[in-house]
Amino acid sequence: MAPTSNPSTTTLLALTVLATSAAITAAAVLLFQRQASSSSSSSTRETATTSYKSNNLPGDIRVVDLVVYPVKSCAGIRVKTAWVNEFGFAFDRLWIVVDRDGNMLTLREFPKMALIKPTLAFTDPSNETDPDAYSRGGTLTLSHEPTSSSVTIPFRKSFEGAKSVPIQVFNCLVDGVDEGDEAGKWLSKVLGAPARLLVKDPRTRRSLPAKHTPAPEAYSFNPQTSFTDGFPFLLTSTTSLDDVNARLKELSPSYPTLDVLNFRPNIVVAAPPGSRALAPYAEESFKTLAIGSARNIFYVASRCTRCQIPGIDVASGTPNAEVPKALHKFLRSDPGYGSQACFGMNLSHAAAGYFVRVGDPVVVVAFGVHNLKVGMWRPEM
């Protein structure tokens, strides 16, 4: 997972224009002014995002939380620093749990997977922030507090000769390599159903949906992802989460207060208390972001549709079927999928080979109108 090649000509041209945070902000405002005449406004969300657009200042929005989920649908690990490789954050959804037929197992079917806690350990502790940490050696340990049990899986020294197994991840086949009987037996006992653990096969590539990503020239590498639902990153904001919880309480005081981990984001952003820089759901109008540096460009792909997972208590693994129903009452914001609740934005990244850190500034480079059905970037695809 070495750093990628030099940025494309398109990226270099963008960097020339976006040399500082102030320049990035100016570019965003200019883009919004040009697009304003073609943007419709008929909802409270559009009003909120318009308020944000007119108050976009450098440093107003920052990263406040970073989460990596080594095993799909298991507990996440909050980190202060995350390395960006060609898949997204290093170790994010690098492993997946499947049944005996190779079908993925997730929180949707096994909500108690939330209680499986991954821990990463490295042969050399200094390798924790090493871009090649996996290849330099270490272990993944899965722990389950209710049974006071755990299993440890060493990182593979090589994938040479390893059998590749295709796994159906929604509408994509993603290749993985089985991590052995010990992990499989442990998972089967914890889940009460036959299960195996697979690691992403780095010898094969999982591409991103074309209509939700820019043309290949916008990337300095061939973009891909691992065992995510479809994109390398998910971004949410604290202001949107606060609004969700307020709306839930308006519907019924009995609804639980949701944690951001209920929505399983990788990047959480916030603005200072009292600031108008980040209105609720403002992220739904973002098209291009710079995080930490003008060089670290992220393309906003689409809204993230929501199923029953946000209703699962992350501490107990207990599902609450009423929470997803409530969310559907006020989070149906996408014009292409009006019947689906949406929360958070999927992202891809223009280049790899750098760190994202808690405290990094987030600047909106461009705004746009998202539509899950037709896409924003290449609707003809």
Side-chain angles (χ1 to χ4, degrees):
M1 301 181 182
T4 55
S5 57
N6 291 331
S8 63
T9 302
T10 302
T11 304
L12 289 173
L13 178 59
L15 296 181
T16 302
V17 178
L18 309 175
T20 65
S21 292
I24 297 176
T25 303
V29 172
L30 178 60
L31 280 165
F32 168 61
Q33 290 171 343
R34 290 175 177 173
Q35 295 168 352
S37 59
S38 62
S39 298
S40 62
S41 175
S42 59
S43 69
T44 56
R45 286 206 187 174
E46 183 62 25
T47 301
T49 55
T50 301
S51 173
Y52 167 73
K53 290 171 182 176
S54 64
N55 290 278
N56 184 25
L57 299 173
D60 272 351
I61 306 175
R62 292 190 179 272
V63 175
V64 294
D65 208 355
L66 295 170
V67 192
V68 174
Y69 307 85
V71 183
K72 186 176 183 67
S73 273
C74 293
I77 302 174
R78 279 187 155 113
V79 297
K80 296 295 185 183
T81 301
W83 177 256
V84 177
N85 64 22
E86 62 266 37
F87 298 108
F89 283 152
F91 295 98
D92 187 60
R93 277 86 168 193
L94 190 60
W95 288 270
I96 192 171
V97 181
V98 302
D99 65 14
R100 61 172 50 147
D101 297 318
N103 301 306
M104 69 173 181
L105 301 182
T106 72
L107 286 162
R108 298 167 184 84
E109 307 83 30
F110 293 90
K112 295 296 183 182
M113 288 180 72
L115 303 183
I116 299 177
K117 300 187 182 302
T119 304
L120 298 169
F122 303 92
T123 304
D124 179 351
S126 65
N127 286 350
E128 186 172 354
T129 56
D130 189 322
D132 296 316
Y134 184 92
S135 62
R136 297 187 189 279
T139 59
L140 165 72
T141 297
L142 303 180
S143 303
H144 187 244
E145 187 175 332
T147 59
S148 301
S149 64
S150 65
V151 65
T152 297
I153 304 98
F155 298 167
R156 288 180 171 269
K157 295 180 179 179
S158 171
F159 284 83
E160 185 177 354
K163 181 182 178 181
S164 192
V165 180
I167 305 301
Q168 191 75 43
V169 181
F170 296 105
N171 61 346
C172 294
L173 281 175
V174 188
D175 290 332
V177 173
D178 196 294
E179 292 284 47
D181 290 341
E182 185 181 2
K185 290 177 181 178
W186 184 86
L187 283 166
S188 299
K189 184 176 180 179
V190 166
L191 296 178
R196 306 289 294 186
L197 181 70
L198 277 73
V199 64
K200 172 73 174 67
D201 190 339
R203 299 169 297 184
T204 60
R205 176 178 166 270
R206 179 191 177 188
S207 59
L208 307 181
K211 68 181 179 181
H212 295 304
T213 53
E217 294 77 18
Y219 297 90
S220 68
F221 67 110
N222 205 351
Q224 60 174 313
T225 187
S226 52
F227 290 121
T228 65
D229 283 1
F231 296 92
F233 305 93
L234 179 69
L235 178 143
T236 64
S237 76
T238 58
T239 46
S240 296
L241 179 65
D242 290 344
D243 188 79
V244 164
N245 280 316
R247 288 172 183 263
L248 284 174
K249 294 300 183 183
E250 287 176 2
L251 290 173
S252 172
S254 66
Y255 282 125
T257 299
L258 299 184
D259 187 276
V260 72
L261 294 179
N262 284 94
F263 296 96
R264 301 181 69 80
N266 298 109
I267 303 170
V268 183
V269 299
S275 170
R276 297 179 60 194
L278 189 62
Y281 315 107
E283 60 271 21
E284 294 189 4
S285 68
F286 297 170
K287 183 177 182 179
T288 307
L289 304 173
I291 301 179
S293 165
R295 293 180 177 273
N296 303 342
I297 296 297
F298 291 77
Y299 304 117
V300 184
S302 65
R303 293 178 177 88
C304 181
T305 57
R306 291 298 169 176
C307 56
Q308 64 268 40
I309 288 179
I312 299 172
D313 187 303
V314 295
S316 68
T318 304
N320 182 332
E322 297 306 310
V323 169
K325 293 177 184 177
L327 296 179
H328 274 74
K329 294 179 180 179
F330 58 86
L331 287 181
R332 291 177 295 163
S333 57
D334 192 272
Y337 276 72
S339 63
Q340 289 280 337
C342 297
F343 187 83
M345 303 303 290
N346 296 307
L347 312 178
S348 66
H349 49 309
Y354 56 89
F355 290 104
V356 172
R357 297 177 171 85
V358 170
D360 276 351
V362 179
V363 177
V364 184
V365 179
F367 297 93
V369 178
H370 290 278
N371 184 312
L372 268 165
K373 187 174 182 179
V374 301
M376 174 192 286
W377 292 95
R378 290 184 284 172
E380 72 280 0
M381 300 297 288

